[in-house]
Amino acid sequence: MATVTRTGTAQRNAPRPRADAVRNRERIVAAAREMFVEFGPEVPLDEIARRAGVGNATLYRHFPDRDELIRHVVVSVMSRTTDRADAATAEEADPFDALRRFVHAAADERIGALCPMLADGFDKEHPELLAERARLEHAVDGLMERARQAGRLRDDVAVGDLMVALSQLTRPLPGSACVNFDQFVHRHLQLFLDGLEAPARSVLPGSPATLEDLRRES
Amino acid sequence: MATVTRTGTAQRNAPRPRADAVRNRERIVAAAREMFVEFGPEVPLDEIARRAGVGNATLYRHFPDRDELIRHVVVSVMSRTTDRADAATAEEADPFDALRRFVHAAADERIGALCPMLADGFDKEHPELLAERARLEHAVDGLMERARQAGRLRDDVAVGDLMVALSQLTRPLPGSACVNFDQFVHRHLQLFLDGLEAPARSVLPGSPATLEDLRRES
Amino acid sequence: MATVTRTGTAQRNAPRPRADAVRNRERIVAAAREMFVEFGPEVPLDEIARRAGVGNATLYRHFPDRDELIRHVVVSVMSRTTDRADAATAEEADPFDALRRFVHAAADERIGALCPMLADGFDKEHPELLAERARLEHAVDGLMERARQAGRLRDDVAVGDLMVALSQLTRPLPGSACVNFDQFVHRHLQLFLDGLEAPARSVLPGSPATLEDLRRES
Amino acid sequence: MATVTRTGTAQRNAPRPRADAVRNRERIVAAAREMFVEFGPEVPLDEIARRAGVGNATLYRHFPDRDELIRHVVVSVMSRTTDRADAATAEEADPFDALRRFVHAAADERIGALCPMLADGFDKEHPELLAERARLEHAVDGLMERARQAGRLRDDVAVGDLMVALSQLTRPLPGSACVNFDQFVHRHLQLFLDGLEAPARSVLPGSPATLEDLRRES
DNA sequence: TATGAATGAGTATTCATTCAT
DNA sequence: AATGAATGAATACTCATTCAT
């Protein structure tokens, strides 16, 4: 039955979610992202629930199993990373500076936390994921293309090369073994970016990779 | 009771181990390295024993707990990596070529498998580990110093920078999620090496890191 | 405060229930009976609520716990079965035909669903249940007595024998494992009825049982 | 590697199982059968392990999941029931007496415990099960055929009719709600047998059923 | 020494029941 | 009165480690 909300929008079968439920959901996702980064994707869900300040069953109500939760975190991180790419594109005059800014920003968004989530049973074909990945790929591709057009980015690299190296270099160590690890990470990223700059200083083996190439059957 | 070995050395309470025991130990370490790389350090020990072709209790006889086994694998990988560094030093005329060769060789030795082993309860102060780490650090430092002397390596990087980035870039994805992942890795390493080359194309944040800096308390 | 209903009866503290509440209650009982038959009495109450088209908390408002709900379903099935017995008595000229008709009718009323409800913590002494059981026993006893008087029913069986065998033979298989199971059931009932017919073809062990005998302490 | 045992038999890859393991396995199966009969197939496995006097993980070593355990119990009950059928055939002169004896013996073997095991996710196509079922069907079919040949069994029933009714009539009540339930059961079986005897006292609906007809798609 | 078996402690997940809207 | 959400108390199942052969 259609109802009319205060804003005048007609809705079907989607009653406004309760405020506390929305708050819980957000708290769970936030806690999950933090703990995936800190302890890896095997972290006990009960601990995530505890950090989120909810009962374990509440977590399961929102995310029926671990994969569901992981997927939501992945998509959320991807989305925020894409936003950073767009911001860098919009706000930086120099195209290679834009790329640099994006790379460091992605590290701050904990994009490295995505790596362990690409594991085994994870459904890489989920529509929601595919959509978000396309959006991310498009944004980063734009950044790279502009830098390439300006003659600042070497020709033999593609978006997959950047994103995978970026994820790996920022990937968290299990148990946050090293306190000031973040400091190092930004050094590594800077070095990698220097390697990306044109003119190329060496010949790369293999061929440029898109995100598509990262699927198992590639 | 002292026994005399073939080499003439007198030993106490350490009879020459049975040949099959030695073989078992080696098979266990080899299986563990493979499976840590493929599935991460959480892989069930029973599975390692199975791949090694021994009973689980045999594994426990040789390595009383998981940490012990991890440590042996770590030390073994470090040792082989050091050997590769020495070989590169000895056999490559150009110092930066030697560095390149070492980096790719270390990847082939699965040095990335070391990362997850730096986790949580791992005893980073174990004498055996410290000794092996010193040996590795010394060898890599030598490689870098020679390249720096030749004006081929930028001044603002140290052995810790190289080793951590190297480990991270070659770190295996859980569940070997991507078939031709190795191919990518060598591209990333090459790009990183290009970034290491002198003259420096940017200013790095922070300061050069030794392996020592990677300890928790640093 | 007393209120006066349409029928003129004075009632205390029991205002006429809202029409939708009555409808909900009936839908819950109907859904419960179906699902108890199909999946057994362990079926999640949330599922029953879902099939009834109400929220789970509504179910709990009407039936504070599972036993309460089970009891209502049991009583309702018993009541409908008694009605069938009365109808058979009234409408069939031949007394054994009446018995046959009742047995098959009881199967259609899913009397077999009663069996699993006799379990564990179920309160077999609840007044409502006792009353309904007495009514059922009286009706079936009447049917049997008439058949016996006519020399059509063997002498060595009582109402308990019939009702238990009837419940067991029509008891649903868990998960409705077999599609055309109902077809079989009516064959079995027919065979059992043939065995009830006089003259007795064998000597039965034990002694005739009333419904009373089915209580735990008997 | 082939080894020669004391009995001179050559064996491959099948070392003699340890005596204690065999004992444990048997204890588990026995406990499971008892508890399935008493509480139904949903009984907690930990409780079965407890009654068997072993740790829960020992149960899981022998039977990886609940279905595996259920299957073993089912097969074991079927097997013992078949043995009873063979014994009845061999030792009773009168064919209908043999059938009677078998029916009561099957009840004593708790054949009713099989009913709840035919539920939902149970793999009815498992080779071991099919083999045992064939053996049982053959034995019971022989019993019935002999009785039919002697003119003692009505023509319009088949092995499926007997086995299903037998299972249902002996099916345990949940929670062993009724102490002397067994006594009743044998009365019901006797009545049912009287109904099976020739000449038929009524016309049965449907058609004779084999065990094959009990599969879902039938 | 080598090994299959045993086990307790841990984690994921479900569900009856209560709470807040 | 009706409901979606929250929760703790189960239960299935896994795995590191110890035990018995």
Side-chain angles (χ1 to χ4, degrees), chain A residues 25-74:
Chain A
R25 189 181 180 88
E26 281 163 2
R27 281 212 234 160
I28 290 168
V29 173
R33 192 186 39 186
E34 288 172 21
M35 298 194 80
F36 285 150
V37 168
E38 193 164 352
F39 303 106
E42 313 279 290
V43 70
L45 296 189
D46 282 21
E47 298 298 318
I48 294 177
R50 169 130 51 132
R51 180 176 305 197
V54 303
N56 60 352
T58 301
L59 187 153
Y60 280 96
R61 163 178 282 271
H62 287 282
F63 306 99
D65 60 20
R66 175 183 294 273
D67 287 347
E68 201 91 358
L69 177 56
I70 290 183
R71 183 149 40 74
H72 273 266
V73 172
V74 166

Side-chain angles (χ1 to χ4, degrees), chain B residues 9-10 24 28 37 46 64 70 79 104 115 133-134 148-149 165 212:
Chain B
T9 315
N24 276 344
I28 291 167
V37 168
D46 281 23
I70 289 184
S79 171
H104 289 287
C115 260
R133 208 193 60 190
R148 192 160 10 237
Q149 299 288 346
E212 189 63 27

Side-chain angles (χ1 to χ4, degrees), chain D residues 35-78:
Chain D
M35 298 193 79
F36 285 149
V37 168
E38 192 164 354
F39 302 105
E42 314 278 292
V43 71
L45 296 190
D46 282 22
E47 297 299 319
I48 293 177
R50 169 127 51 127
R51 179 174 308 193
V54 303
N56 60 352
T58 300
L59 187 152
Y60 281 96
R61 163 179 283 272
H62 287 283
F63 305 98
D65 59 20
R66 176 183 294 274
D67 287 347
E68 201 90 359
L69 177 56
I70 289 183
R71 183 149 40 74
H72 273 265
V73 172
V74 167
V75 166
S76 137
V77 169
M78 277 183 162

